[in-house]
Each structure stands twice: as C-alpha cells, then as structure tokens.
Amino acid sequence: MRRFLKNHPHLKVVAAYAIFLSVIPLFIFNDYYYATASVFVINSLLIVSLMIIIGYAGQISIAHGAVYGVGAYVSAILTTKYEFPFFAAFIFSAVAGFLVSILIGAPSLRLKGHYLAMATLGFGEIIIILFQELDFLTGGVNGLTGIKPAGIFGHSFVRLPDYYALVSVIAVFILALLALFVDSRFGRALRAIKSSEVASSVLGLNPTYYKLLAFAVAGSVAGACGSLYAHLDRFISPSSFSISLSVMLVAMVMVGGEESFSGSLVSALLFSLLNEYVRQFQEMSQLIFGAGLFIASVYFRGGLLPSITRFFFRIRRSAGGQVAS
Amino acid sequence: MSETLIQLVLSGIVLGSIYGLIGIGFSTVHSSTGAINFAQGEFAVIGAFLCITLVGAGLPFFLSSLLSPLVLTAIVVLIFVFFLRRVAGDPLYLVVATIALSLIMRTIALHLWGREPLGISSAFEGKMLKILDGTLTYDQLLVIASASFLYMVLFLIFSKTFTGRAMKAVVEEREIAMASGLNPVFYQGLSFALGAFIGAFSGCILSPIAMLSYFSGGLLGLKGFASAVLAGLEEPQKVIFGGIALGIVESFAVLLVPSGYKDMVALILLLLVLTLKPEGILSKNRKRMA
C-alpha cells in the first residue's frame, strides 16, 4: 500500500482535495453558495483535464470549453427530450466528449504549437456555430431551459446541497482516475513524447496513439463536466461555452503551472473566488485572468503559482542559510 | 442569374480584401517572430470602434480612419516595448501572451463600447456604382481601392526594401542576422506595429459596411488567418489573394448553405488546408510547418 502511494504521488493531492470538498459545507449557509461550490468542483475537473493535454502531452486546445458544451447539450437533450435517466445521459456525455475531442486532436498529428492552437480554435468556433444553428435540438441562441434535475435510483438531486454532494463524489472519483492515469506508464509515456517525439518513437512509443489518448481522456472528462453543469443551473445556452471560456481555461492552466496537478486545483479555486468577488461584473474576471495569463506568459514561464512557491522556498532557504552560517 | 453571380463575386472581393488585409497582419508578425498573433482580429475591432467614436465626435471619416490606426499602433508599440519584447524570441510564449492580449482587449472593448453591435452610416451618402450587372457602394469601392493600394505598398516593402527583407531574416537566420548588425527585437516590434496599423485600418474601412460587436474579433481573426494560411503564411505579398479567394468562396456558399452556417465554410476550409496542405495552396515552398 505504501509503495503504491509512493508510485502514485498525485493520489495524495486528490485525497487532500476530497477533504477540502467535504469541509466546504461547514462554511456555507445558503443554497446559492452550494451552486458556486459546485461550479468550482466542475472547473477543477475541467482544468485538470486540460492540463493533461497541455502539460503532459505538450499539445494545446482552445476548444476545451466547446467540448464541455457538447457534454452539456448531450446530457440536457437526452434527459429532457428523450427521457434518458441521468446516469445514462452522463455516460453518453462523456462518450460524446471523447469522440469530439479525438476529432479536435486529430490535427495535432500533423500540426504543432500555434498552428494547432489555431486549428483547435477553428473547431471550437464551428461547434459554437452548431449550438446556435441546430435550433430544433439546441434551442438556438436562447438555449435550453427546464432541464430535468439529476436523479439516481429514484432520488432526485433538486436541492443544491444534495447536488453538491453528488458532484463532489463524482469529481473525486474522476480525479482519482486521472491521478492514476498521470502516474501510470501512460502519463510517463506522454511526458517522454512531449520532451522528444523522435527519441520516444525509438523506444517504441507511438506518438500518434498517445497524443490522441491525451485528447480522448481530457475530452471524456470535459464531456462529463458538461453533464454535471447542465443539471446544476438546469439552463444552458451557447454563450456559456464561448471561446472566451476556452481561452480562460488555458489561462487557468498556465496560471496553475502547465505541468502541475495541484496547481490546476488551486487555480480553479482562485478563479471561483475571484468570480464570486466580482460577480456584478462577470467580465471583470475575464480581464483579471487575461492579465494573469499575460503576466504569467511574459514573466513567469512555467506558471504563476509554481513561480510564487519557488520564490517563497528560496526566501526560506536563504533565511535558513543565514542562520546556519 | 448572371446578375446574382456577378454580385456575389463583387461582394466576395470586398469581404475578401478585408480578410486579406487582416491576414497580412498575421503574416508580417509571423515572418519576423515565427509566432501567430491571436490579437490580430481584436486590432481590427478596436480600430473600428475607435474610428466610430471619432466620427461620432464630429471628425470626418477619412481623418478618423487614419487617426484610429495610428492611436492603436502607438498602444501596441507600447505594449510591445514594455511586455512582448521579453518573449519575442520564444514563439510559444509569445502566442500565449497574444491570446491573453486578445482576451484583455475584448473585455476592454466590452466595457468601453458595450454589448450592442456598432457601425457607422455610409461615408459617401450611400452612392453606388454599377459594374457589369452588379452594383458596388462607394464604401465597398473604398475597401477594394485601399486594399490594392496597401497591397502594392507592402509588396514594395517586402520585396524591394532592406527593412522588409530584414524582417524575414531575423526569424529565418537569427544568428546571421544578429551577426550582421540587425537587431531582431526592433524588426519584431516593427512587424507588430505594421500588423496593428493594417488591422485597425481594415476595421475602419469595414465599419461603414458591416456592424461589429466586441467579440467579432474572434471570427475576423480566424478568417484573416485562413487567408494567410491559404496563401502560405510566409509570404505577405500573396495573402491578399488568399483573402479574396476566401471571400468569394464564402459569398458563393450562401447559395448552398443556410446563412447561419456561412461562417463555418471559412473555418472548414481553414481546417482542411491546415491538415492537408499546411504550407499553403498558393505557396511554392514545400516546407513542413512546425
């Protein structure tokens, strides 16, 4: 057991996160904050999954918000129009995210860096146009209202505290799977390919397979997140999944440190608190995160939070050194 | 039937000239830094909004459409000198910085100019010219005329002047360029300035023709990028033709698909070219993009 934990260091992060989620209700006194907390949990999953594409596979996707949207629409349409049970719709959302994300990742086999960024941006815009134009399914620009609440085994999660509990359990489960994935040979293979495609193909790793795997894993998680979001507000519209959201997600990954699992979680928390603080100007948070991304990319390559931690460690070490000498 | 065909070609050329101009901005920045400027579409939108504000303040359209690009260029040069300069040699971080810049500019545009789409009335009291069986407004003619003029100027800059060749040299042969006394950062800044000016100017001449809103920069930028990719990103002189080709394809697409899907045509074209022939259709280079 101890050895297992040693080989899977990220499970500890997930455990800490799970404890954090279970403590949150102690500080919440009304339903409104349960909704905010649920959005925070969903965002953490989204950011960690995008972090796998960016930090582990070394690719980029400016369509992650759109994949999230596909999951939300699939779940909303299946439960509301076709009477699917929530859990089945949730699985279908993940499958839809999986398929769409593989499609988005396909150009990554031939394109690199900013060309790939543009290609995924193009995909994202296409998906959003489809949300707007397929109005017999998606309700067009007005979106879908009256989405059924989630229900499992006859228990309906209408009350927000209940729903928060459901989202937390699912999220911790998925995060644990992601942690296992990241620490498995797949995760190591991804990092190997990121650092040198040629060298790793000499070792018998197939870059095509692993790159698509990263997109597929991240896409299924994003699809699942979409489903969780659709049954939270029970209202979705194309503007919830705009390109700005995708850019913000990239920003949050960069702020958290592009290879940092725990950084992604902290960045999600930071973002949710910020969003809560500037609620009356929703776009203010975009400005602040835009500025954060800008500063992070210009001054702190490798992430804002890791740079800050390094900075504090350096202070502590140098202070300790002075005492010793 | 021939009437509509000619009209479609004409309006395709007009829109395509705009896409081409925005595309030139991508191309100049790319040829000196090796990166893509994701804020290029926002340059056009902010340029258009500045121009609309100036016209609203009582300035004549022509003055505003020169003043607004100058103001934006000044701002972009400042941003470059203070921030972007530090990452100008590192394409990937430069790209992320411009992505952030686009988010910032979009949000600022929303705060300053609001959610509603903006436009201005015709600069020529809606006068029109008949060409064969189609008509063009004077505003549209202005687009074509200024696009051709700018195209010729850029053609001369890039093929005949030292500055133009230096802009390309600093990314392709960085060491040699530096050894021969060129300062890469200067030429990179210059290319950003040029991109900002052309982008903002194309926004200005677009504003009498189409309404723009604070988020229009995304699609405009993608279409400009698509024209640049069609032509081959490394060749600023050809981008305008990529733009016109894209504009014509897009206006003919209206015959085949419902108008709501019109924007998808350009995007699908972009994806196809990027995956199948990333060096560009009009380009003779057979270099693989990385």
Side-chain angles (χ1 to χ4, degrees):
Chain A
M1 183 65 195
R2 188 173 252 169
R3 195 158 153 215
F4 181 77
L5 272 182
K6 199 176 174 192
N7 289 336
H8 298 85
H10 287 109
L11 277 181
K12 284 181 214 155
V13 178
V14 177
Y17 181 73
I19 294 171
F20 180 68
L21 289 191
S22 50
V23 174
I24 287 181
L26 298 179
F27 302 95
I28 293 183
F29 304 105
N30 69 33
D31 274 8
Y32 169 75
Y33 287 109
Y34 275 105
T36 315
S38 309
V39 172
F40 154 62
V41 177
I42 294 170
N43 278 337
S44 335
L45 273 182
L46 267 180
I47 297 168
V48 170
S49 63
L50 183 60
M51 186 275 295
I52 289 177
I53 293 182
I54 296 178
Y56 279 80
Q59 310 296 307
I60 191 163
S61 169
I62 312 190
H64 210 59
V67 179
Y68 171 56
V70 169
Y73 273 102
V74 166
S75 192
I77 292 166
L78 287 182
T79 53
T80 311
K81 292 199 170 150
Y82 298 99
E83 308 276 324
F84 273 56
F86 164 74
F87 201 66
F90 176 77
I91 300 291
F92 273 109
S93 296
V95 172
F98 174 90
L99 296 175
V100 173
S101 190
I102 284 192
L103 202 62
I104 291 172
S108 72
L109 307 177
R110 293 202 58 176
L111 302 173
K112 285 201 180 74
H114 36 283
Y115 286 86
L116 179 63
M118 264 300 182
T120 57
L121 180 60
F123 260 116
E125 288 277 9
I126 288 177
I127 293 173
I128 289 160
I129 292 174
L130 288 177
F131 288 160
Q132 288 168 354
E133 297 300 322
L134 296 171
D135 43 6
F136 61 99
L137 267 180
T138 63
V141 281
N142 297 324
L144 288 172
T145 48
I147 298 168
K148 283 195 180 163
I152 292 177
F153 301 128
H155 178 78
S156 172
F157 291 83
V158 191
R159 286 184 58 244
L160 284 170
D162 287 4
Y163 195 66
Y164 170 74
L166 178 72
V167 170
S168 305
V169 170
I170 294 178
V172 168
F173 178 69
I174 294 178
L175 274 177
L177 289 181
L178 287 178
L180 289 176
F181 174 79
V182 166
D183 292 329
S184 70
R185 67 187 177 87
F186 296 107
R188 288 192 295 275
L190 282 174
R191 303 185 89 150
I193 288 169
K194 183 189 173 191
S195 59
S196 168
E197 230 173 85
V198 181
S200 43
S201 58
V202 171
L203 295 174
L205 299 172
N206 177 357
T208 307
Y209 167 75
Y210 283 101
K211 279 188 205 167
L212 285 186
L213 182 72
F215 274 96
V217 168
S220 0
V221 174
C225 287
S227 171
L228 294 178
Y229 177 75
H231 297 277
L232 171 69
D233 266 357
R234 293 194 268 135
F235 161 72
I236 52 174
S237 73
S239 62
S240 320
F241 311 107
S242 64
I243 287 301
S244 298
L245 174 70
S246 296
V247 175
M248 296 269 280
L249 289 173
V250 175
M252 285 184 257
V253 172
M254 299 292 291
V255 167
E258 56 176 56
E259 288 182 22
S260 170
F261 200 99
S262 47
S264 299
L265 295 175
V266 176
S267 165
L269 180 66
L270 211 66
F271 173 68
S272 305
L273 290 176
L274 190 70
N275 238 355
E276 206 38 59
Y277 187 64
V278 290
R279 191 141 200 102
Q280 59 274 43
F281 304 103
Q282 216 194 345
E283 289 79 15
M284 264 316 260
S285 65
Q286 293 193 6
L287 193 62
I288 294 173
F289 256 82
L293 177 63
F294 191 72
I295 301 288
S297 58
V298 175
Y299 294 101
F300 303 98
R301 307 180 195 182
L304 207 54
L305 296 176
S307 304
I308 293 171
T309 354
R310 259 202 310 280
F311 179 69
F312 279 113
F313 271 117
R314 207 179 299 149
I315 289 180
R316 217 167 66 184
R317 207 174 304 142
S318 62
Q322 276 164 8
V323 171
S325 64
Chain B
M1 189 59 201
S2 77
E3 244 172 84
T4 46
L5 282 185
I6 289 171
Q7 193 61 51
L8 284 177
V9 172
L10 288 178
S11 53
I13 292 177
V14 172
L15 274 182
S17 310
I18 300 275
Y19 300 156
L21 284 182
I22 296 174
I24 290 175
F26 278 106
S27 192
T28 52
V29 170
H30 184 270
S31 58
S32 73
T33 63
I36 293 171
N37 174 14
F38 274 71
Q40 188 65 35
E42 269 66 31
F43 289 173
V45 170
I46 302 247
F49 284 180
L50 276 175
C51 178
I52 292 168
T53 307
L54 290 173
V55 168
L59 287 175
F61 174 74
F62 296 99
L63 188 61
S64 324
S65 63
L66 287 177
L67 216 55
S68 136
L70 285 177
V71 172
L72 188 80
T73 308
I75 296 172
V76 169
V77 166
L78 286 180
I79 295 176
F80 184 85
V81 169
F82 282 110
F83 303 104
L84 294 177
R85 179 172 57 87
R86 293 164 190 277
V87 280
D90 188 343
L92 208 61
Y93 282 97
L94 185 58
V95 166
V96 178
T98 62
I99 292 177
L101 191 61
S102 76
L103 191 63
I104 296 172
M105 290 179 99
R106 193 177 297 188
T107 320
I108 290 178
L110 172 65
H111 277 279
L112 292 182
W113 285 284
R115 271 172 208 286
E116 297 303 312
L118 298 175
I120 40 177
S121 52
S122 163
F124 301 92
E125 288 107 23
K127 270 190 253 171
M128 283 197 259
L129 185 74
K130 223 167 143 52
I131 298 173
L132 297 173
D133 288 326
T135 51
L136 277 183
T137 64
Y138 275 41
D139 298 303
Q140 290 172 315
L141 277 174
L142 175 70
V143 170
I144 298 180
S146 45
S148 334
F149 176 72
L150 265 181
Y151 165 67
M152 282 189 292
V153 171
L154 288 168
F155 184 84
L156 290 177
I157 290 181
F158 276 99
S159 56
K160 302 278 184 249
T161 68
F162 177 77
T163 317
R165 279 179 298 221
M167 272 186 181
K168 280 184 137 178
V170 292
V171 65
E172 282 168 12
E173 306 289 348
R174 196 181 167 89
E175 270 76 32
I176 299 179
M178 284 169 81
S180 49
L182 296 177
N183 177 4
V185 177
F186 172 75
Y187 289 100
Q188 285 160 344
L190 192 65
S191 74
F192 263 95
L194 201 59
F197 187 86
I198 301 171
F201 182 73
S202 53
C204 293
I205 54 177
L206 181 61
S207 57
I209 299 173
M211 306 278 271
L212 292 173
S213 47
Y214 72 99
F215 57 81
S216 305
L219 266 181
L220 266 183
L222 268 169
K223 287 178 184 171
F225 180 71
S227 357
V229 166
L230 273 175
L233 201 49
E234 322 236 296
E235 287 156 277
Q237 307 96 317
K238 288 182 184 166
V239 172
I240 199 92
F241 300 112
I244 289 173
L246 182 69
I248 292 176
V249 168
E250 202 179 58
S251 68
F252 272 91
V254 179
L255 294 176
L256 300 173
V257 296
S259 61
Y261 294 99
K262 196 190 77 179
D263 293 332
M264 263 173 73
V265 175
L267 298 176
I268 290 174
L269 200 64
L270 168 68
L271 288 176
L272 284 179
V273 176
L274 271 180
T275 27
L276 301 178
K277 205 170 178 300
E279 69 274 10
I281 286 178
L282 300 175
S283 166
K284 282 185 233 96
N285 280 357
R286 292 207 48 82
K287 201 167 110 186
R288 230 184 112 111
M289 296 297 150

